[in-house]
Amino acid sequence: MAAVSEYFGSLVFDDRVMKANLSAEVYQSLKRTIDEGAKLNIGVANAVASAMKDWAVALGATHFTHWFQPLTGVTAEKHDSFISPAPDGRVIMEFSGKELIQGEPDASSFPSGGLRATFEARGYTAWDPTSYAFIKDRTLCIPTAFCGYNGEALDKKTPLLRSMAALNQQALRILRLFGNDTVKHVNTAVGPEQEYFLVDAKMWEQRRDLRFTGRTLFGTKPPKGQEMDDHYFGAIKPRVAAYMEELNDELWKLGILAKTQHNEVAPAQHELAPIYTTTNISTDHNQLTMEIMQKVAARHGLVCLLHEKPFVGVNGSGKHNNWSIATDTGVNLLSPGETPYENAQFLLFLCAVIKAVDDYQDLLRISVATAGNDHRLGANEAPPAVVSIFLGDELAAILGCIEHDAPYTSIDTGKVRLGVDVLPKFPRDTTDRNRTSPFAFTGNKFEFRMVGSADSIACANIMINTAVAESLRVYADRLEGAEDFEAALQSMIRKTIQDHKRIIFNGNGYDDAWIKEAVEQRGLANYRTTPDCVPHLLDEKNVQLLTSHKVFTKAELVSRYEVTLENYCKTIRIEADTMVDMARTEIIPAVQAFILDTAKTAAAKKKLIAGCPCEYEVKLVKQLAILTDQMAAKADELEQAVLALAGAGDVAKESAAIRDVVLPRMSELRLACDEAETLTAKKYWPFPTYGDLLFGVR
Ligand code: ADP
Ligand code: MG
């Protein structure tokens, strides 16, 4: 078997391949485009396209596609072949610079949230040269942005790139104020830890809820769940190990730095973490990772569930978004420095994040709002819907001293009064982990834990980048005009701590007492559901933020609002319809069959033993008869509730009706069916149970 270092990135048109296949002149010109955003001329594009095609064809590719990320959350591609007819009746393989730079897929089938109603049905894809092209399924995939006729972003990549540009611009202003003239570019980096479940494909096929909605809509907890904590970091089962091995190989070929893998807390749950990289590339890689995870699973007779909450009563899945800011000179701006001077700069960036998270808690919550993720957030599970920041005791104590101008006792220096030029050396404590915090500082990065496992990380990073860019803008405006830089810096840091300390919480985020304190005493937002939070996307302050940094236009924001709520409604409608269908055509008939056989048993007993009371059968039949009526009635009610949605009017009203009427009916129907499951003999139950699914892969 070949060494990983030999095939890592073998399907990627990366820097090494570019250098080897492009003339020095073309390579330099492309590099300028990649690193500095310089415009690419058509001659260079033609040369790059031709080299890309030759490279891809040599590796067996026959088609190319502009690979993009529409608002559906998954990736899209439309394949074109390289084939072009030659005069001699044969074909030649062609690919032009124009085809590389821009594509024109029919956009009408992608959601646009009304953007296209006022414009044209056409959409454009534009090459994003900062993310390498790669080969997948014998197709050369070119990462692209996707926009409408007038440049409106119809995808997630465009605003992400804009938010990175906004942060770069403001962070550079701050660095210049600290006398740094060498840094040319500041980027954010992300390492997303991806959680997922693996279930047996044969069992999955028998469950329509899993097939249609990605989660179980019925099912009672097995006697053994995660209470023994024996799965977490436990030995990986052979079938899962074989899956992980192949998955790593596939990801490595695509240049994805899949690094760690282990079991998670819940049975059948696992995690994959890549090594962090530039946010934009990390986002592309995470989309690819999710796709490859599902493909490889199929080859192993498994199904990879990316849903946030596939099983009730069992931990859900998230995606921990590890985020940091770094300069092109390799300095992590969230890493406490060695000198007091570096520390002051670190403190300022730290404060920028604290202020950003407090000012835009709502946007962070909105950025992860989906029907699936609502089952995790706001449901007494990791992490809560209330956004707060964990800093650890040491850092919190330092900030407390700065706030009150009080002396701080450090191990190195003893008691010191803190100031910009007298700051303690921060201990880089990465061991102090608070797993319950939605936004935790972990030594030199922040870990945003609210992202759903199935979601693109683009939305969350757009909001984090932009909110932090805004903090830095405010700081830079003030500091650039200050007469005494150090005094201004000191007072600004103090003021940030005073104004925003309410967002800092180092305790247990699952605790009900915390939610109460957060909401009642600290005034933090607690949006439990998607319909609760998404309308706030259009709040004046949020529109102001996102448009002033040129991340979204107002029209684009309205479109995001529409699409997010539309997705929510569609998702739950499908779930509701699936439930009604499964209850009527699978569960109720199964219970009836069991009732009939139980009644027959009682009759047979009576025949054998005159006067036999058959108490057990009678009681069971009675209970199940009542439940059957309940299930049928609840299915009718749910069906009615879904039908009534047609008159809701707009998407805000419809999503509210779903939250208030449809979801409670779904719970009621489920309750009756789950109770019937506990009373019905296993062989009658029409599909695999939780026990089968969670412990079925060995
Ligand atoms: P954990 O204990 O949470 O697994 P790790 O140190 O293994 O912590 O990191 C988890 C993720 O964070 C990985 O994807 C890793 O690449 C990423 N990460 C580490 N350092 C940074 C950083 N400076 N910026 C962004 N992500 C980072
Ligand atoms: Mg982590």
Side-chain angles (χ1 to χ4, degrees), residues 3-326:
V4 175
S5 56
E6 276 170 37
Y7 63 88
F8 184 87
S10 59
L11 298 177
V12 185
F13 194 76
D14 58 15
D15 196 59
R16 196 180 35 137
V17 182
M18 289 180 197
K19 251 200 198 120
N21 293 283
L22 299 171
S23 72
E25 198 189 332
V26 169
Y27 173 77
Q28 286 308 333
S29 172
L30 179 60
K31 261 313 247 184
R32 270 197 301 281
T33 303
I34 294 173
D35 296 340
E36 295 155 34
K39 219 176 145 51
L40 199 69
N41 78 44
I42 188 69
V44 173
N46 278 330
V48 175
S50 165
M52 257 189 200
K53 183 231 5 175
D54 290 343
W55 166 81
V57 169
L59 287 166
T62 53
H63 288 66
F64 69 92
T65 182
H66 276 197
W67 184 78
F68 59 100
Q69 300 167 32
L71 300 180
T72 49
V74 292
T75 55
E77 40 199 74
K78 175 182 163 254
H79 296 189
D80 279 306
S81 88
F82 291 122
I83 291 175
S84 179
D88 60 0
R90 302 165 67 115
V91 291
I92 50 168
M93 303 296 252
E94 268 185 354
F95 185 46
S96 70
K98 194 167 156 285
E99 286 170 307
L100 167 65
I101 291 177
Q102 195 176 342
E104 230 181 289
D106 176 11
S108 53
S109 52
F110 295 107
S112 75
L115 267 186
R116 235 177 356 254
T118 46
F119 301 99
E120 271 203 52
R122 258 184 300 169
Y124 293 93
T125 49
W127 180 31
D128 166 20
T130 62
S131 182
Y132 297 135
F134 55 91
I135 297 173
K136 182 168 66 73
D137 301 330
R138 301 184 71 191
T139 299
L140 170 67
C141 298
I142 299 145
T144 55
F146 179 44
C147 332
Y149 187 66
N150 288 347
E152 327 78 67
L154 295 174
D155 68 346
K156 304 197 176 190
K157 172 172 278 215
T158 306
L160 179 64
L161 291 171
R162 292 174 185 160
S163 74
M164 290 167 72
L167 188 84
N168 171 49
Q169 191 189 344
Q170 303 305 331
L172 282 178
R173 287 177 69 194
I174 298 288
L175 291 178
R176 299 291 181 254
L177 282 165
F178 275 86
N180 186 330
D181 291 319
T182 46
V183 168
K184 285 218 239 22
H185 204 95
V186 172
N187 252 331
T188 58
V190 166
E193 299 165 65
Q194 175 76 50
E195 289 179 331
Y196 60 100
F197 280 85
L198 285 178
V199 297
D200 186 88
K202 288 206 185 73
M203 294 188 197
W204 177 87
E205 265 158 33
Q206 294 169 55
R207 293 206 52 139
R208 278 193 284 169
D209 47 3
L210 284 179
R211 270 164 46 211
F212 298 156
T213 74
R215 74 180 181 108
T216 55
L217 299 169
F218 299 100
T220 50
K221 259 180 77 174
K224 176 173 153 63
Q226 63 194 54
E227 40 286 283
M228 308 284 285
D229 275 337
D230 53 354
H231 185 69
Y232 193 47
F233 282 87
I236 295 173
K237 300 197 180 87
R239 224 173 130 193
V240 175
Y243 165 78
M244 286 179 170
E245 196 178 312
E246 191 177 333
L247 175 61
N248 279 340
D249 274 349
E250 295 287 322
L251 294 176
W252 289 337
K253 282 189 222 159
L254 287 166
I256 297 172
L257 292 152
K259 172 88 173 159
T260 57
Q261 53 196 26
H262 59 76
N263 291 345
E264 265 302 323
V265 180
Q269 193 184 29
H270 311 281
E271 183 190 288
L272 179 145
I275 296 174
Y276 67 100
T277 178
T278 312
T279 307
N280 161 40
I281 293 169
S282 189
T283 305
D284 285 359
H285 281 180
N286 183 249
Q287 292 298 127
L288 264 177
T289 299
M290 290 193 286
E291 184 183 328
I292 307 287
M293 284 169 93
Q294 284 162 309
K295 271 197 188 143
V296 173
R299 288 186 220 138
H300 289 256
L302 298 167
V303 173
C304 171
L305 303 179
L306 289 170
H307 195 282
E308 284 78 14
K309 193 72 183 172
F311 304 97
V312 166
V314 174
N315 262 18
S317 298
K319 187 139 49 189
H320 293 174
N321 188 83
N322 294 273
W323 178 92
S324 65
I325 323 173

